[in-house]
Amino acid sequence: MPYVKVEIAKGIASVEQKKAVIKGMTDVLVKELGRDPEYIFVVIDEVDTDNWGRKGQSLTDLWSQRTPTGSEST
């Protein structure tokens, strides 16, 4: 019974994108491991950007520093 957990920052993926991730992960496990999709579980956990960080800062802070073109200013 494969269980796949995908963690992403909250608000970055649409419902359609999350559905595609679930399908894609399932398809890989069916193809590569020969598993029955009935017993493959994919969970997408959306983490609040205040609770996810890199470079010593939260994503909320990092994303607020982006320039209008989408690149970070730091």
Side-chain angles (χ1 to χ4, degrees):
M1 171 177 77
Y3 170 85
V4 177
K5 183 176 181 181
V6 179
E7 291 185 341
I8 61 173
K10 190 173 188 173
I12 67 162
S14 69
V15 171
E16 293 78 20
Q17 289 171 319
K18 290 185 273 187
K19 286 180 183 180
V21 168
I22 291 168
K23 175 145 180 28
M25 294 289 187
T26 300
D27 290 348
V28 165
L29 292 172
V30 168
K31 178 183 175 196
E32 300 301 331
L33 299 180
R35 306 305 293 199
D36 182 346
E38 177 73 22
Y39 301 105
I40 296 171
F41 299 89
V42 180
V43 175
I44 298 176
D45 188 13
E46 292 184 286
V47 179
D48 190 286
T49 57
D50 288 336
N51 299 329
W52 191 311
R54 68 181 179 89
K55 299 183 349 181
Q57 297 179 359
S58 72
L59 288 183
T60 303
D61 291 340
L62 286 168
W63 291 354
S64 70
Q65 298 169 12
R66 287 183 174 173
T67 62
T69 61
S71 64
E72 293 176 9
S73 60
T74 58

PDB file of all heavy atoms in Angstrom, residues 2-3 6 8-9 12-14 20-21 33 36-37 39 42 44 56-57 60-61 65 68-69 72:
ATOM      1  N   PRO A   2       1.295   1.726  -1.170  1.00  0.00           N
ATOM      2  CA  PRO A   2       2.123   2.938  -1.217  1.00  0.00           C
ATOM      3  C   PRO A   2       1.372   4.166  -0.713  1.00  0.00           C
ATOM      4  O   PRO A   2       0.186   4.351  -0.983  1.00  0.00           O
ATOM      5  CB  PRO A   2       2.463   3.085  -2.698  1.00  0.00           C
ATOM      6  CG  PRO A   2       2.281   1.730  -3.277  1.00  0.00           C
ATOM      7  CD  PRO A   2       1.171   1.109  -2.490  1.00  0.00           C
ATOM      8  N   TYR A   3       2.101   4.971   0.015  1.00  0.00           N
ATOM      9  CA  TYR A   3       1.607   6.241   0.539  1.00  0.00           C
ATOM     10  C   TYR A   3       2.628   7.300   0.162  1.00  0.00           C
ATOM     11  O   TYR A   3       3.803   7.186   0.511  1.00  0.00           O
ATOM     12  CB  TYR A   3       1.455   6.150   2.060  1.00  0.00           C
ATOM     13  CG  TYR A   3       1.174   7.458   2.750  1.00  0.00           C
ATOM     14  CD1 TYR A   3      -0.123   7.930   2.858  1.00  0.00           C
ATOM     15  CD2 TYR A   3       2.206   8.209   3.290  1.00  0.00           C
ATOM     16  CE1 TYR A   3      -0.387   9.133   3.509  1.00  0.00           C
ATOM     17  CE2 TYR A   3       1.951   9.413   3.937  1.00  0.00           C
ATOM     18  CZ  TYR A   3       0.652   9.861   4.041  1.00  0.00           C
ATOM     19  OH  TYR A   3       0.402  11.053   4.679  1.00  0.00           O
ATOM     20  N   VAL A   6       3.169  14.764  -0.364  1.00  0.00           N
ATOM     21  CA  VAL A   6       3.768  15.886  -1.078  1.00  0.00           C
ATOM     22  C   VAL A   6       3.485  17.139  -0.261  1.00  0.00           C
ATOM     23  O   VAL A   6       2.333  17.434   0.040  1.00  0.00           O
ATOM     24  CB  VAL A   6       3.161  16.030  -2.492  1.00  0.00           C
ATOM     25  CG1 VAL A   6       3.758  17.218  -3.218  1.00  0.00           C
ATOM     26  CG2 VAL A   6       3.322  14.746  -3.289  1.00  0.00           C
ATOM     27  N   ILE A   8       3.749  21.209  -0.126  1.00  0.00           N
ATOM     28  CA  ILE A   8       3.937  22.406  -0.936  1.00  0.00           C
ATOM     29  C   ILE A   8       3.522  23.617  -0.113  1.00  0.00           C
ATOM     30  O   ILE A   8       2.783  23.487   0.866  1.00  0.00           O
ATOM     31  CB  ILE A   8       3.133  22.365  -2.254  1.00  0.00           C
ATOM     32  CG1 ILE A   8       1.624  22.270  -1.976  1.00  0.00           C
ATOM     33  CG2 ILE A   8       3.597  21.226  -3.142  1.00  0.00           C
ATOM     34  CD1 ILE A   8       0.748  22.393  -3.206  1.00  0.00           C
ATOM     35  N   ALA A   9       3.994  24.771  -0.512  1.00  0.00           N
ATOM     36  CA  ALA A   9       3.569  25.999   0.150  1.00  0.00           C
ATOM     37  C   ALA A   9       2.108  26.272  -0.193  1.00  0.00           C
ATOM     38  O   ALA A   9       1.683  26.082  -1.337  1.00  0.00           O
ATOM     39  CB  ALA A   9       4.445  27.168  -0.287  1.00  0.00           C
ATOM     40  N   ILE A  12       0.135  27.882  -3.770  1.00  0.00           N
ATOM     41  CA  ILE A  12       0.906  27.919  -5.016  1.00  0.00           C
ATOM     42  C   ILE A  12       0.342  27.013  -6.094  1.00  0.00           C
ATOM     43  O   ILE A  12       0.727  27.129  -7.248  1.00  0.00           O
ATOM     44  CB  ILE A  12       2.392  27.575  -4.798  1.00  0.00           C
ATOM     45  CG1 ILE A  12       2.573  26.127  -4.379  1.00  0.00           C
ATOM     46  CG2 ILE A  12       3.041  28.523  -3.826  1.00  0.00           C
ATOM     47  CD1 ILE A  12       3.992  25.632  -4.561  1.00  0.00           C
ATOM     48  N   ALA A  13      -0.564  26.108  -5.733  1.00  0.00           N
ATOM     49  CA  ALA A  13      -1.100  25.169  -6.716  1.00  0.00           C
ATOM     50  C   ALA A  13      -2.625  25.275  -6.771  1.00  0.00           C
ATOM     51  O   ALA A  13      -3.285  25.347  -5.742  1.00  0.00           O
ATOM     52  CB  ALA A  13      -0.692  23.742  -6.360  1.00  0.00           C
ATOM     53  N   SER A  14      -3.138  25.245  -7.986  1.00  0.00           N
ATOM     54  CA  SER A  14      -4.587  25.260  -8.177  1.00  0.00           C
ATOM     55  C   SER A  14      -5.148  23.856  -7.919  1.00  0.00           C
ATOM     56  O   SER A  14      -4.394  22.875  -7.835  1.00  0.00           O
ATOM     57  CB  SER A  14      -4.926  25.687  -9.605  1.00  0.00           C
ATOM     58  OG  SER A  14      -4.519  24.671 -10.522  1.00  0.00           O
ATOM     59  N   ALA A  20      -3.616  16.886 -10.925  1.00  0.00           N
ATOM     60  CA  ALA A  20      -2.607  16.361 -11.851  1.00  0.00           C
ATOM     61  C   ALA A  20      -1.450  15.711 -11.091  1.00  0.00           C
ATOM     62  O   ALA A  20      -0.928  14.671 -11.522  1.00  0.00           O
ATOM     63  CB  ALA A  20      -2.098  17.478 -12.758  1.00  0.00           C
ATOM     64  N   VAL A  21      -1.041  16.297  -9.975  1.00  0.00           N
ATOM     65  CA  VAL A  21       0.030  15.713  -9.163  1.00  0.00           C
ATOM     66  C   VAL A  21      -0.416  14.359  -8.608  1.00  0.00           C
ATOM     67  O   VAL A  21       0.333  13.379  -8.674  1.00  0.00           O
ATOM     68  CB  VAL A  21       0.442  16.669  -8.021  1.00  0.00           C
ATOM     69  CG1 VAL A  21       1.326  15.960  -6.998  1.00  0.00           C
ATOM     70  CG2 VAL A  21       1.140  17.900  -8.580  1.00  0.00           C
ATOM     71  N   LEU A  33       6.102   0.208 -10.126  1.00  0.00           N
ATOM     72  CA  LEU A  33       6.024  -0.830  -9.085  1.00  0.00           C
ATOM     73  C   LEU A  33       4.943  -1.868  -9.354  1.00  0.00           C
ATOM     74  O   LEU A  33       4.818  -2.838  -8.614  1.00  0.00           O
ATOM     75  CB  LEU A  33       5.768  -0.182  -7.715  1.00  0.00           C
ATOM     76  CG  LEU A  33       6.828   0.797  -7.212  1.00  0.00           C
ATOM     77  CD1 LEU A  33       6.412   1.352  -5.851  1.00  0.00           C
ATOM     78  CD2 LEU A  33       8.189   0.150  -7.137  1.00  0.00           C
ATOM     79  N   ASP A  36      -1.565  -1.678  -7.668  1.00  0.00           N
ATOM     80  CA  ASP A  36      -2.979  -1.440  -7.974  1.00  0.00           C
ATOM     81  C   ASP A  36      -3.327  -0.026  -7.512  1.00  0.00           C
ATOM     82  O   ASP A  36      -3.160   0.301  -6.338  1.00  0.00           O
ATOM     83  CB  ASP A  36      -3.826  -2.470  -7.224  1.00  0.00           C
ATOM     84  CG  ASP A  36      -5.313  -2.354  -7.498  1.00  0.00           C
ATOM     85  OD1 ASP A  36      -5.759  -1.333  -8.052  1.00  0.00           O
ATOM     86  OD2 ASP A  36      -6.036  -3.303  -7.144  1.00  0.00           O
ATOM     87  N   PRO A  37      -3.822   0.837  -8.420  1.00  0.00           N
ATOM     88  CA  PRO A  37      -4.137   2.214  -8.024  1.00  0.00           C
ATOM     89  C   PRO A  37      -5.176   2.311  -6.912  1.00  0.00           C
ATOM     90  O   PRO A  37      -5.237   3.315  -6.204  1.00  0.00           O
ATOM     91  CB  PRO A  37      -4.627   2.873  -9.314  1.00  0.00           C
ATOM     92  CG  PRO A  37      -4.934   1.774 -10.253  1.00  0.00           C
ATOM     93  CD  PRO A  37      -4.117   0.588  -9.821  1.00  0.00           C
ATOM     94  N   TYR A  39      -5.026   0.985  -4.190  1.00  0.00           N
ATOM     95  CA  TYR A  39      -4.338   0.993  -2.898  1.00  0.00           C
ATOM     96  C   TYR A  39      -3.156   1.961  -2.846  1.00  0.00           C
ATOM     97  O   TYR A  39      -2.261   1.812  -2.019  1.00  0.00           O
ATOM     98  CB  TYR A  39      -3.892  -0.429  -2.548  1.00  0.00           C
ATOM     99  CG  TYR A  39      -5.066  -1.369  -2.487  1.00  0.00           C
ATOM    100  CD1 TYR A  39      -5.298  -2.275  -3.516  1.00  0.00           C
ATOM    101  CD2 TYR A  39      -5.975  -1.292  -1.445  1.00  0.00           C
ATOM    102  CE1 TYR A  39      -6.394  -3.121  -3.482  1.00  0.00           C
ATOM    103  CE2 TYR A  39      -7.083  -2.135  -1.405  1.00  0.00           C
ATOM    104  CZ  TYR A  39      -7.285  -3.035  -2.430  1.00  0.00           C
ATOM    105  OH  TYR A  39      -8.382  -3.858  -2.392  1.00  0.00           O
ATOM    106  N   VAL A  42      -2.137   9.259  -2.169  1.00  0.00           N
ATOM    107  CA  VAL A  42      -1.322  10.452  -2.355  1.00  0.00           C
ATOM    108  C   VAL A  42      -1.957  11.569  -1.536  1.00  0.00           C
ATOM    109  O   VAL A  42      -3.146  11.853  -1.689  1.00  0.00           O
ATOM    110  CB  VAL A  42      -1.235  10.864  -3.841  1.00  0.00           C
ATOM    111  CG1 VAL A  42      -0.386  12.121  -4.002  1.00  0.00           C
ATOM    112  CG2 VAL A  42      -0.682   9.725  -4.689  1.00  0.00           C
ATOM    113  N   ILE A  44      -1.539  15.594  -0.403  1.00  0.00           N
ATOM    114  CA  ILE A  44      -0.872  16.880  -0.597  1.00  0.00           C
ATOM    115  C   ILE A  44      -1.133  17.713   0.647  1.00  0.00           C
ATOM    116  O   ILE A  44      -2.275  17.993   0.995  1.00  0.00           O
ATOM    117  CB  ILE A  44      -1.390  17.601  -1.854  1.00  0.00           C
ATOM    118  CG1 ILE A  44      -1.076  16.764  -3.099  1.00  0.00           C
ATOM    119  CG2 ILE A  44      -0.770  18.997  -1.957  1.00  0.00           C
ATOM    120  CD1 ILE A  44      -1.626  17.335  -4.381  1.00  0.00           C
ATOM    121  N   GLY A  56      17.070  31.314   5.847  1.00  0.00           N
ATOM    122  CA  GLY A  56      16.893  31.945   7.155  1.00  0.00           C
ATOM    123  C   GLY A  56      15.655  32.805   7.286  1.00  0.00           C
ATOM    124  O   GLY A  56      15.507  33.514   8.286  1.00  0.00           O
ATOM    125  N   GLN A  57      14.762  32.755   6.306  1.00  0.00           N
ATOM    126  CA  GLN A  57      13.542  33.568   6.350  1.00  0.00           C
ATOM    127  C   GLN A  57      12.340  32.725   5.961  1.00  0.00           C
ATOM    128  O   GLN A  57      12.464  31.725   5.254  1.00  0.00           O
ATOM    129  CB  GLN A  57      13.650  34.747   5.374  1.00  0.00           C
ATOM    130  CG  GLN A  57      14.749  35.714   5.685  1.00  0.00           C
ATOM    131  CD  GLN A  57      14.798  36.846   4.660  1.00  0.00           C
ATOM    132  OE1 GLN A  57      14.024  36.882   3.715  1.00  0.00           O
ATOM    133  NE2 GLN A  57      15.709  37.766   4.842  1.00  0.00           N
ATOM    134  N   THR A  60       6.888  33.669   3.393  1.00  0.00           N
ATOM    135  CA  THR A  60       6.082  34.894   3.374  1.00  0.00           C
ATOM    136  C   THR A  60       6.991  36.104   3.210  1.00  0.00           C
ATOM    137  O   THR A  60       6.753  36.966   2.355  1.00  0.00           O
ATOM    138  CB  THR A  60       5.257  35.033   4.668  1.00  0.00           C
ATOM    139  OG1 THR A  60       4.429  33.880   4.826  1.00  0.00           O
ATOM    140  CG2 THR A  60       4.404  36.280   4.639  1.00  0.00           C
ATOM    141  N   ASP A  61       8.055  36.153   4.016  1.00  0.00           N
ATOM    142  CA  ASP A  61       8.987  37.280   3.935  1.00  0.00           C
ATOM    143  C   ASP A  61       9.762  37.280   2.623  1.00  0.00           C
ATOM    144  O   ASP A  61       9.925  38.321   1.986  1.00  0.00           O
ATOM    145  CB  ASP A  61       9.955  37.260   5.117  1.00  0.00           C
ATOM    146  CG  ASP A  61       9.279  37.570   6.438  1.00  0.00           C
ATOM    147  OD1 ASP A  61       8.180  38.172   6.427  1.00  0.00           O
ATOM    148  OD2 ASP A  61       9.843  37.209   7.481  1.00  0.00           O
ATOM    149  N   GLN A  65       9.595  40.101  -0.823  1.00  0.00           N
ATOM    150  CA  GLN A  65      10.761  40.830  -1.325  1.00  0.00           C
ATOM    151  C   GLN A  65      10.916  40.716  -2.840  1.00  0.00           C
ATOM    152  O   GLN A  65      11.807  41.318  -3.415  1.00  0.00           O
ATOM    153  CB  GLN A  65      12.040  40.297  -0.664  1.00  0.00           C
ATOM    154  CG  GLN A  65      12.083  40.477   0.815  1.00  0.00           C
ATOM    155  CD  GLN A  65      13.218  39.700   1.466  1.00  0.00           C
ATOM    156  OE1 GLN A  65      14.110  39.191   0.797  1.00  0.00           O
ATOM    157  NE2 GLN A  65      13.167  39.582   2.787  1.00  0.00           N
ATOM    158  N   PRO A  68       8.715  43.087  -9.222  1.00  0.00           N
ATOM    159  CA  PRO A  68       7.554  42.873 -10.096  1.00  0.00           C
ATOM    160  C   PRO A  68       7.748  41.806 -11.164  1.00  0.00           C
ATOM    161  O   PRO A  68       6.801  41.194 -11.611  1.00  0.00           O
ATOM    162  CB  PRO A  68       7.327  44.243 -10.740  1.00  0.00           C
ATOM    163  CG  PRO A  68       7.914  45.210  -9.767  1.00  0.00           C
ATOM    164  CD  PRO A  68       9.088  44.479  -9.138  1.00  0.00           C
ATOM    165  N   THR A  69       8.981  41.520 -11.553  1.00  0.00           N
ATOM    166  CA  THR A  69       9.237  40.487 -12.568  1.00  0.00           C
ATOM    167  C   THR A  69       9.201  39.088 -11.986  1.00  0.00           C
ATOM    168  O   THR A  69       9.286  38.116 -12.709  1.00  0.00           O
ATOM    169  CB  THR A  69      10.608  40.709 -13.240  1.00  0.00           C
ATOM    170  OG1 THR A  69      11.632  40.625 -12.243  1.00  0.00           O
ATOM    171  CG2 THR A  69      10.652  42.025 -13.967  1.00  0.00           C
ATOM    172  N   GLU A  72      13.604  37.427  -6.852  1.00  0.00           N
ATOM    173  CA  GLU A  72      13.823  37.974  -5.515  1.00  0.00           C
ATOM    174  C   GLU A  72      14.842  39.102  -5.586  1.00  0.00           C
ATOM    175  O   GLU A  72      15.785  39.067  -6.360  1.00  0.00           O
ATOM    176  CB  GLU A  72      14.337  36.873  -4.584  1.00  0.00           C
ATOM    177  CG  GLU A  72      13.290  35.809  -4.330  1.00  0.00           C
ATOM    178  CD  GLU A  72      13.847  34.677  -3.480  1.00  0.00           C
ATOM    179  OE1 GLU A  72      14.960  34.792  -2.963  1.00  0.00           O
ATOM    180  OE2 GLU A  72      13.147  33.667  -3.356  1.00  0.00           O
TER     181      GLU A  72
END
